[in-house]
Amino acid sequence: MKFLDKAKIKIKAGDGGNGAASFRREKYIEFGGPNGGDGGRGGDVVFRAVPNVNTLIDYRYKTSFAAQRGQNGMGKMRTGYSGETLVLPVPTGTVILSENEEIEYADLNQDGMEYRAARGGNGGWGNLHFKSPTNRAPRQANDGLPGEERTVVLRLKLIADIGLVGFPNAGKSTLLSAVTAARPKIANYAFTTLNPQLGVMYAHDREFVLVDLPGLIEGAHTGVGLGDRFLGHAERTKMILHVIDGAEPDWAARYAAIRHEMDSYGGGLMHKPEMVIINKIDAVDSDELKERMTAFKKSFGRKKKPEIMTISAAGRIGIEELIASVEKKFLELEEKND
């Protein structure tokens, strides 16, 4: 299934049914009087968060949705039936935005959450409502009110425990495949990952959902490369794993560049717990590896250093230790939040 994390659609709630203007007509009953019923209410448009779906592809080809109109009122004081509510399922984690994306209407971040995006119009009054001592045979009835109509933007932010960030070719996809059953595309060229990939990592009797985000490059927040649009999926994560290619000579520059893009994006990413993963250590001489690690740690100066681990995702070196460290980190976070 193709991944799609943003869609713009037009929705319209149902119009209310018209009121009826009718009179009682029965044998032997004189001056029957008005008996027109009210029109039914138009159906609402509701978005509902559903589990086990992680794309908005259903809203790519069909972009206009309308709820059912209310039935017109009828004689014998019969009210028209109300239009059925139109329920539009979206993946859990979907944000409903205004057309210009400046207003957030709702954040459906839990399974089953609903947001009524458009209200149906009220049904019109039948002529029975207009009967009075001075107007015994009213002939007027109200038309139903139109349902609300608007254009909204759906923005999906995947819900995961851990987000993998880093430059293209840092080995994020290889790491994802090493710690989960996910099988993302892996190749020796930049931007192999074009869409976020999810996987589940198991540690003892616990499981953690990981999301591998497409690689960032300097200037991503201005639209360079794939831009920073996928960082929105990291907003929901509880922790960031920053993957650095150990074969690169200047780890500090790589780390600072990605941190700058995260800071420019915002969304609280800079304040999330973080671990730095130095990958591909089997491709670097041991003495060179020590020198680069020393220089990297010195680059933090007096600032608090994140936890740093060295692995080889392809060679499965340090993978078990990484899983154990992630589990320990999560336990610490849970104790801190309690």
Side-chain angles (χ1 to χ4, degrees):
M1 180 182 291
K2 185 176 176 62
F3 180 82
L4 187 71
D5 64 350
K6 189 175 181 181
K8 180 184 287 189
I9 64 173
K10 183 177 181 180
I11 57 175
K12 184 179 187 315
D15 297 336
N18 299 329
S22 67
F23 295 88
R24 187 176 182 183
R25 297 280 191 268
E26 292 184 47
K27 191 175 182 180
Y28 306 123
I29 297 179
E30 190 177 10
F31 308 116
N35 70 348
D38 300 337
R41 191 175 183 277
D44 299 333
V45 178
V46 172
F47 289 100
R48 179 183 296 161
V50 296
N52 303 322
V53 178
N54 57 12
T55 178
L56 293 169
I57 191 64
D58 290 342
Y59 300 101
R60 178 172 184 177
Y61 302 107
K62 183 178 180 182
T63 59
S64 182
F65 299 86
Q68 188 179 34
R69 183 183 186 277
Q71 186 184 31
N72 292 337
M74 295 164 283
K76 298 183 180 179
M77 296 182 288
R78 290 177 295 173
T79 299
Y81 60 74
S82 296
E84 291 185 5
T85 296
L86 175 63
V87 178
L88 299 177
V90 294
T92 301
T94 300
V95 179
I96 315 296
L97 303 167
S98 60
E99 184 175 8
N100 58 11
E101 301 184 40
E102 294 183 358
I103 302 173
E104 181 179 309
Y105 295 134
D107 184 356
L108 307 182
N109 54 21
Q110 294 182 16
D111 292 345
M113 283 186 67
E114 292 186 350
Y115 169 64
R116 182 167 56 183
R119 293 174 179 266
N122 288 329
W125 279 355
N127 65 339
L128 180 63
H129 278 279
F130 298 96
K131 181 181 178 181
S132 70
T134 58
N135 187 7
R136 294 296 187 89
R139 297 184 179 277
Q140 70 266 37
N142 288 342
D143 291 338
L145 297 177
E148 293 181 337
E149 184 175 2
R150 62 170 59 167
T151 298
V152 297
V153 173
L154 308 180
R155 175 78 188 278
L156 173 60
K157 296 179 181 179
L158 293 174
I159 296 178
D161 297 306
I162 303 167
L164 303 179
V165 302
F167 271 83
N169 262 20
K172 301 187 303 301
S173 296
T174 306
L175 175 58
L176 183 69
S177 66
V179 299
T180 75
R183 292 295 175 262
K185 182 179 180 180
I186 300 172
N188 188 28
Y189 58 84
F191 300 115
T192 311
T193 302
L194 298 177
N195 297 301
Q197 303 288 326
L198 289 171
V200 179
M201 180 180 76
Y202 295 94
H204 296 103
D205 57 347
R206 300 193 56 174
E207 59 182 46
F208 304 95
V209 179
L210 279 70
V211 56
D212 171 23
L213 302 177
L216 298 171
I217 61 176
E218 292 184 67
H221 69 280
T222 63
V224 177
L226 295 177
D228 65 354
R229 59 173 291 194
F230 295 113
L231 279 176
H233 299 291
E235 287 185 46
R236 309 235 188 239
T237 60
K238 300 181 179 70
M239 187 170 73
I240 299 292
L241 292 187
H242 189 143
V243 184
I244 296 176
D245 185 351
E248 292 287 339
D250 194 344
W251 299 350
R254 290 275 171 168
Y255 177 79
I258 297 299
R259 292 289 287 180
H260 174 68
E261 299 307 321
M262 293 168 61
D263 189 29
S264 299
Y265 175 84
L269 297 183
M270 295 292 285
H271 305 295
K272 290 185 179 294
E274 178 191 39
M275 290 177 63
V276 176
I277 312 301
I278 308 299
N279 192 21
K280 305 181 185 180
I281 59 170
D282 52 352
V284 185
D285 179 76
S286 59
D287 292 335
E288 183 68 24
L289 188 66
K290 291 179 181 178
E291 291 180 8
R292 293 179 184 179
M293 181 63 76
T294 301
F296 184 50
K297 290 181 177 180
K298 284 184 177 180
S299 68
F300 290 94
R302 295 185 177 181
K303 294 186 296 183
K304 183 179 179 180
K305 292 188 289 290
E307 183 177 351
I308 304 171
M309 297 198 68
T310 56
I311 69 165
S312 170
R316 299 196 63 83
I317 300 172
I319 296 299
E320 296 301 322
E321 293 80 0
L322 172 61
I323 294 174
S325 293
V326 169
E327 183 185 23
K328 180 181 177 182
K329 190 80 169 179
F330 263 85
L331 289 173
E332 294 173 354
L333 291 174
E334 290 173 352
E335 292 175 359
K336 183 177 179 181
N337 294 330
D338 288 342

